[in-house]
C-alpha cells in the first residue's frame, strides 16, 4: 500500500518497499527474479498485489520423468503379460504361468522387487509417521494457541461483564467493541475464533459468513458441549468436517475471576489438512524421484549381475551339450573361487570320470561283443559238426568191421556231410551279412523288377504258392540294391519257415505307394507270432526256430533303417503274419 509492504505470507524474501519505477501500470505484469516466477497486479488506489511461485523447472522435469518411468514399468509388465498370454493360447491361463521366469528374469525381478517393496515400506512407514507427528503437532499447536487466546479473551472480558452475571450478547457487545477485540486477537494469531455462550449459543465468530449462511449450525458441537459442560473437561479436541473438508478443532472453557465457566472458546485449525496433504505430496514426489533413480541403478546392477551369472551357466550348459561318450571332452577353465567355480570344478571332475568310464565301457563292450559272437558262432557251428562226427565214426566202424553195405553207407554219409556243410555255409553267410551291414553302395533302381525276379525264382518250387501285385511297375528307390535284394529274400524265407510242416505254403506280396514311400507287404499263412515274443522279433540272435542264427529279421531291420525306411508287422494267431517294409521313393 503506497509502495510499502503491508503483509507477507510464506517464505518469499521480498523487500519492504518498491520504487515508483517498479510499480506497473494498472493491470497484470509478469516477471522472473530471485528464483521466483512473479505476478504483479496493480489494483489502483496505490494497492499492489504480488503473487510469487518458486521456479522448480529441473525439479518438475525430474518429477515428470519419474512418473513417466513408473508408467513405463507398468506398461512394460502389461505388454509382457499380454505376450505370454498370446504365445500360450493353448495353455490354460494361470497366474503361476504368468510369473514363470527364467533365472535371468528371476534375479532381475528379485532385485527390482526388493526396490519396489522398499519404496512401499518406506513410503507407508514415513507417511504414517508424518500423519502421527502432524496430528500431535497440530494438537499441541491448538492447545498452546487456545491457552494464549483464552487468556487474552478472559482479560478482555474483565472490562465487559459484571461478576456473577450471565453472559449475554446484548450486554456484552452493545457497542461492538468486544467483537472488534476478538477479531484483532484472531488476526494477531492468524487463526479463526468462535465464541459461545455457556448455553452453547454462538456469540461472536471471526468467520460469521459460515454461520449467517447456515453452512454450519450456530450451536456448539454436541459432543464438545457434553465434554465441557457435563464432564467439566479443561479442553476437548476433535476432528470436524464441512462437506468433504475435514479439520481439527479445539474447545476450551472461559473462566471468570471466580474460576467459574462463563463461555466456551472454539478454535478451528482449517489449514491443517491442506498442510498435511502438501507435506505428504512433497514427500511422495521426492520418494518417487529417488526410487526411480534407485530403480534404474538396481536395474543396471541386475542386468550386469545376471549377465555374468547366466553367461557362466550358458557356458557350462554349452559345454554339457558338447559332451560325447567315446570322444575327448574339453574341460572349462575358471579362475574364480565362487559358487560357479565350484560348479565348474565338479563339471571338470565329471568330464574326467566320464572319459575314464567311457573308455572302460568301450573296452567292456568290445570284450562282451567278442564273447557273445564267439559263443554264438561256436553254438551254431557245433550243431552241424555233431552229426558230421557221428556219421564219420559210424562209417569208420563199418569199414573196420568190413560191413557188406559200406558203399551204401558212404553215399548216405556224403549226403549228410553236404547237408551240414550247407548249414555251415549259411551260418557263415548270415554272420557275414550282419557284419557288413554298414557297407552300403546306394544306387537308383526299379524295386518292382527286383521283387519280380525273386518271385520268379521261388515260383519254381512246386510246394510254394507265391503271388505279387503292384500298383506301379516303375517305382524306383535309392538304396543298396544287393541289400534290398537280401531284405526281401530274408522276408520270403521267413514266410516259408513260418508255415508248419506238411502244410501248403501261400505267400502274397503286394506293393503300393503312400506319403512318398513305396510299401511292400509280405504275407504268409503261418501260425503267427505269440504276444510275448512280438517285442523281441527284430532282436539279434533271437529265433523261434530250432535251427538258425536268429539274424534274419535283425538284418532286415538294419537294411531298412540304412535306407531311411521303416519295417513293422501285423500278426494274428493261426492267421499268419504280414511284414511291411517302407522305403522312400527316389
Amino acid at each position: 500500500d503506497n509502495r510499502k509492504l503491508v503483509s507477507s505470507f510464506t517464505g518469499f524474501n521480498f523487500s519492504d518497499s518498491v520504487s515508483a519505477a517498479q510499480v506497473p501500470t494498472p493491470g497484470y505484469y509478469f516477471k522472473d527474479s530471485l528464483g521466483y516466477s512473479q505476478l504483479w497486479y496493480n489494483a489502483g488506489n496505490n494497492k499492489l498485489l504480488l503473487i510469487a511461485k518458486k521456479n522448480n523447472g529441473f525439479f518438475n522435469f525430474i518429477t515428470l520423468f519419474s512418473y513417466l518411468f513408473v508408467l513405463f514399468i507398468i506398461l512394460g509388465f502389461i505388454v509382457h503379460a499380454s505376450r505370454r498370454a498370446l504365445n500360450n493360447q493353448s495353455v490354460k491361463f494361470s497366474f503361476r504361468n504368468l510369473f514363470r521366469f527364467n533365472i535371468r528374469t528371476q534375479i532381475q525381478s528379485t532385485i527390482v522387487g526388493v526396490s519396489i517393496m522398499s519404496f512401499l515400506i518406506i513410503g507407508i512407514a514415513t507417511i504414517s509417521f508424518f500423519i502421527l507427528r502432524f496430528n500431535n503437532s497440530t494438537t499441541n499447536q491448538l492447545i498452546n494457541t487456545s491457552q494464549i487466546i483464552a487468556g487474552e479473551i478472559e482479560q478482555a472480558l474483565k472490562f465487559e461483564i459484571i461478576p456473577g452475571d450471565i453472559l449475554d450478547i446484548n450486554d456484552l457487545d452493545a457497542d461492538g467493541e468486544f467483537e472488534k477485540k476478538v477479531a484483532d486477537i484472531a488476526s494477531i494469531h492468524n487463526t479463526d475464533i468462535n465464541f459461545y455462550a455457556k448455553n452453547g449459543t454462538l456469540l461472536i465468530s471471526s468467520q460469521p459468513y459460515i454461520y449467517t449462511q447456515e453452512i454450519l449450525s450456530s450451536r456448539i458441537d454436541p459432543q464438545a458441549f457434553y465434554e465441557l459442560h457435563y464432564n467439566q473437561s479443561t479442553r476437548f479436541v476433535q476432528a470436524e468436517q464441512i462437506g468433504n473438508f475435514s479439520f481439527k478443532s479445539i474447545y476450551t472453557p472461559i473462566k471468570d475471576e471466580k474460576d467459574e465457566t462463563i463461555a466456551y472458546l472454539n478454535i478451528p485449525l482449517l489449514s491443517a489438512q491442506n498442510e498435511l496433504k502438501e507435506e505428504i505430496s512433497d514427500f511422495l514426489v521426492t520418494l518417487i524421484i529417488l526410487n526411480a533413480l534407485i530403480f534404474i541403478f538396481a536395474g543396471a546392477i541386475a542386468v550386469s549381475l545376471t549377465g555374468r551369472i547366466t553367461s557362466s551357466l550358458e557356458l557350462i550348459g554349452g559345454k554339457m551339450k558338447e559332451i560325447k561318450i567315446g570322444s575327448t571332452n574339453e574341460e572349462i577353465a575358471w579362475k574364480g573361487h565362487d559358487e560357479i567355480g565350484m560348479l565348474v570344478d565338479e563339471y571338470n571332475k565329471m568330464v574326467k570320470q566320464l572319459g575314464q568310464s567311457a573308455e572302460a565301457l568301450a573296452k567292456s563292450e568290445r570284450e562282451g561283443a567278442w564273447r557273445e559272437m564267439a559263443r554264438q558262432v561256436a553254438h551254431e557251428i557245433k550243431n552241424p559238426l555233431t552229426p558230421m562226427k557221428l556219421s564219420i565214426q559210424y562209417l569208420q566202424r563199418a569199414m573196420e568191421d568190413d560191413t557188406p553195405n559200406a558203399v551204401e553207407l558212404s553215399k548216405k554219409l556224403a549226403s549228410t556231410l553236404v547237408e551240414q556243410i550247407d548249414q555251415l555255409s549259411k551260418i557263415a553267410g548270415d554272420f557275414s551279412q550282419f557284419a557288413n551291414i554298414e557297407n552300403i553302395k546306394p544306387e537308383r533302381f526299379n524295386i518292382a523288377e527286383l521283387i519280380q525276379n525273386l518271385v520268379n525264382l521261388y515260383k519254381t518250387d512246386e510246394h510254394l504258392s507265391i503271388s505279387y501285385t503292384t500298383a506301379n511297375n516303375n517305382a524306383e528307390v535309392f538304396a543298396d540294391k544287393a541289400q534290398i535284394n537280401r531284405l526281401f529274400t530274408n522276408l520270403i524265407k521267413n514266410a516259408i519257415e513260418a508255415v508248419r510242416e506238411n502244410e501248403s505254403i501261400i505267400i502274397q506280396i503286394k506293393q503300393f505307394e503312400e506319403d512318398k514311400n513305396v510299401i511292400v507287404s509280405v504275407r504268409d499263412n503261418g501260425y503267427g507270432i505269440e504276444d510275448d515274443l512280438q517285442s523281441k522279433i527284430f532282436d539279434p540272435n533271437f529265433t523261434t526256430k530250432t535251427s538258425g542264427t536268429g539274424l534274419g529279421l535283425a538284418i532286415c531291420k538294419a537294411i531298412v533303417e540304412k535306407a531311411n525306411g521303416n519295417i513293422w508287422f501285423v500278426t494274428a494267431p493261426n492267421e499268419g503274419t504280414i511284414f511291411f517294409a517302407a522305403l522312400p521313393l527316389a
Side-chain angles (χ1 to χ4, degrees):
D1 186 8
N2 289 320
R3 302 202 309 271
K4 295 292 183 180
L5 186 63
V6 176
S7 61
S8 176
F9 301 92
T10 70
F12 181 37
N13 186 18
F14 194 75
S15 60
D16 61 352
S17 63
V18 294
S19 63
Q22 289 180 286
V23 178
T25 56
Y28 298 96
Y29 173 70
F30 293 93
K31 65 180 293 187
D32 289 333
S33 66
L34 303 176
Y36 283 81
S37 177
Q38 303 171 15
L39 169 64
W40 296 52
Y41 173 57
N42 188 346
N45 297 324
N46 293 321
K47 302 292 184 183
L48 183 64
L49 175 67
L50 171 61
I51 300 176
K53 181 179 180 182
K54 192 169 184 178
N55 287 323
N56 292 317
F58 179 74
F59 184 78
N60 293 335
F61 170 77
I62 294 295
T63 304
L64 179 61
F65 166 78
S66 301
Y67 284 120
L68 291 177
F69 186 79
V70 172
L71 180 62
F72 169 77
I73 295 298
I74 296 173
L75 291 177
F77 176 78
I78 294 174
V79 170
H80 167 74
S82 302
R83 290 182 63 183
R84 288 183 68 91
L86 292 175
N87 293 334
N88 299 282
Q89 291 181 351
S90 59
V91 181
K92 186 177 179 180
F93 175 80
S94 68
F95 284 100
R96 180 179 297 178
N97 293 331
L98 186 62
F99 292 96
R100 185 172 294 169
F101 304 128
N102 55 28
I103 293 179
R104 182 194 298 269
T105 310
Q106 287 178 19
I107 297 175
Q108 294 175 354
S109 301
T110 301
I111 296 176
V112 172
V114 168
S115 302
I116 295 175
M117 287 302 298
S118 301
F119 164 74
L120 295 176
I121 293 173
I122 293 173
I124 293 172
T126 308
I127 290 173
S128 300
F129 172 75
F130 277 171
I131 295 174
L132 180 62
R133 188 193 66 178
F134 192 85
N135 288 335
N136 292 334
S137 64
T138 52
T139 300
N140 292 331
Q141 179 184 348
L142 278 173
I143 292 173
N144 295 332
T145 303
S146 66
Q147 289 175 346
I148 295 172
I149 294 177
E152 293 179 358
I153 290 180
E154 288 174 354
Q155 188 67 27
L157 283 174
K158 290 180 180 180
F159 303 100
E160 298 291 337
I161 62 174
I162 301 172
D165 288 354
I166 298 175
L167 189 66
D168 183 74
I169 186 61
N170 296 319
D171 298 335
L172 176 66
D173 200 26
D175 56 357
E177 191 66 27
F178 182 73
E179 183 176 0
K180 183 179 179 183
K181 289 181 180 180
V182 171
D184 290 339
I185 294 172
S187 177
I188 291 172
H189 294 281
N190 193 24
T191 187
D192 294 320
I193 295 176
N194 297 317
F195 191 71
Y196 293 93
K198 190 174 182 180
N199 62 2
T201 303
L202 180 67
L203 299 177
I204 298 171
S205 174
S206 61
Q207 295 283 355
Y209 178 83
I210 297 176
Y211 300 95
T212 57
Q213 296 297 320
E214 298 183 353
I215 298 175
L216 287 179
S217 171
S218 60
R219 304 288 294 181
I220 193 173
D221 182 84
Q223 185 66 28
F225 183 75
Y226 180 84
E227 290 292 333
L228 298 176
H229 187 75
Y230 294 102
N231 290 342
Q232 304 297 316
S233 298
T234 57
R235 72 177 65 91
F236 178 70
V237 181
Q238 70 172 359
E240 297 184 359
Q241 194 163 343
I242 303 176
N244 294 327
F245 179 73
S246 59
F247 57 94
K248 272 195 171 184
S249 183
I250 187 170
Y251 295 85
T252 185
I254 300 296
K255 306 285 186 176
D256 59 10
E257 293 180 347
K258 296 181 179 181
D259 200 30
E260 293 183 0
T261 300
I262 58 175
Y264 300 113
L265 174 67
N266 168 234
I267 301 175
L269 192 59
L270 300 178
S271 62
Q273 293 299 320
N274 288 335
E275 292 176 5
L276 177 61
K277 290 179 181 179
E278 289 180 5
E279 189 171 357
I280 293 175
S281 177
D282 293 341
F283 168 75
L284 284 177
V285 169
T286 304
L287 189 63
I288 290 174
I289 293 172
L290 292 176
N291 275 272
L293 299 176
I294 293 173
F295 193 91
I296 296 173
F297 183 66
I301 293 177
V303 171
S304 176
L305 181 62
T306 55
R308 180 177 178 274
I309 294 174
T310 55
S311 63
S312 304
L313 297 177
E314 288 172 358
L315 173 63
I316 297 173
K319 292 294 183 181
M320 286 183 174
K321 289 180 182 179
E322 296 175 359
I323 290 179
K324 293 181 180 178
I325 298 177
S327 60
T328 303
N329 296 302
E330 184 180 356
E331 295 183 1
I332 300 175
W334 190 264
K335 297 180 180 179
H337 298 285
D338 50 10
E339 287 78 2
I340 301 295
M342 295 173 59
L343 181 61
V344 169
D345 291 340
E346 293 300 322
Y347 167 81
N348 292 336
K349 291 179 183 178
M350 182 193 68
V351 167
K352 291 179 181 178
Q353 294 175 358
L354 182 61
Q356 296 171 357
S357 300
E359 185 177 351
L361 179 62
K363 182 179 179 182
S364 175
E365 287 180 347
R366 286 194 300 269
E367 293 176 353
W370 279 111
R371 282 195 296 267
E372 180 64 23
M373 183 64 71
R375 184 193 65 79
Q376 185 69 17
V377 172
H379 174 73
E380 296 298 336
I381 292 177
K382 185 178 179 181
N383 288 336
L385 286 179
T386 300
M388 291 172 67
K389 179 182 178 181
L390 293 174
S391 298
I392 293 174
Q393 288 177 344
Y394 181 72
L395 178 61
Q396 185 180 12
R397 190 179 303 113
M399 293 178 66
E400 289 176 355
D401 296 342
D402 199 13
T403 303
N405 58 346
V407 176
E408 184 179 350
L409 289 175
S410 299
K411 291 181 180 179
K412 290 183 179 180
L413 175 61
S415 176
T416 300
L417 290 176
V418 169
E419 182 179 347
Q420 298 303 321
I421 289 171
D422 288 341
Q423 182 66 18
L424 287 172
S425 177
K426 182 179 182 303
I427 292 171
D430 286 348
F431 279 105
S432 177
Q433 291 178 20
F434 191 71
N436 294 318
I437 203 72
E438 299 291 334
N439 300 325
I440 60 174
K441 296 179 180 179
E443 60 179 296
R444 184 170 183 152
F445 61 92
N446 189 315
I447 192 171
E449 292 181 357
L450 183 145
I451 297 175
Q452 187 63 59
N453 291 334
L454 286 175
V455 171
N456 293 337
L457 180 63
Y458 280 95
K459 276 186 177 181
T460 58
D461 189 347
E462 59 183 13
H463 300 293
L464 172 63
S465 173
I466 186 169
S467 63
Y468 171 56
T469 57
T470 177
N472 184 5
N473 288 318
N474 298 318
E476 292 184 341
V477 296
F478 185 76
D480 189 310
K481 187 174 182 180
Q483 288 192 0
I484 299 300
N485 185 79
R486 192 176 299 128
L487 163 68
F488 292 110
T489 300
N490 287 348
L491 290 177
I492 293 173
K493 286 182 178 180
N494 187 74
I496 294 172
E497 294 173 354
V499 181
R500 295 184 178 91
E501 293 184 5
N502 303 322
E503 290 186 3
S504 60
I505 302 173
I506 301 174
I507 299 176
Q508 298 175 344
I509 302 176
K510 295 182 179 180
Q511 176 186 319
F512 57 94
E513 296 177 10
E514 185 178 297
D515 296 333
K516 297 183 180 180
N517 288 319
V518 57
I519 301 176
V520 179
S521 65
V522 179
R523 179 171 188 170
D524 61 55
N525 61 327
Y527 46 84
I529 304 172
E530 297 178 7
D531 293 342
D532 57 337
L533 302 178
Q534 292 180 13
S535 61
K536 305 176 183 178
I537 202 69
F538 291 112
D539 292 348
N541 303 328
F542 175 78
T543 179
T544 59
K545 308 177 186 68
T546 56
S547 63
T549 60
L551 296 175
L553 290 176
I555 292 173
C556 292
K557 186 174 185 295
I559 291 173
V560 172
E561 290 178 348
K562 284 295 176 184
N564 299 320
N566 191 20
I567 187 170
W568 70 97
F569 64 90
V570 176
T571 186
N574 300 318
E575 293 184 8
T577 303
I578 307 175
F579 279 89
F580 296 89
L583 300 171
L585 286 166

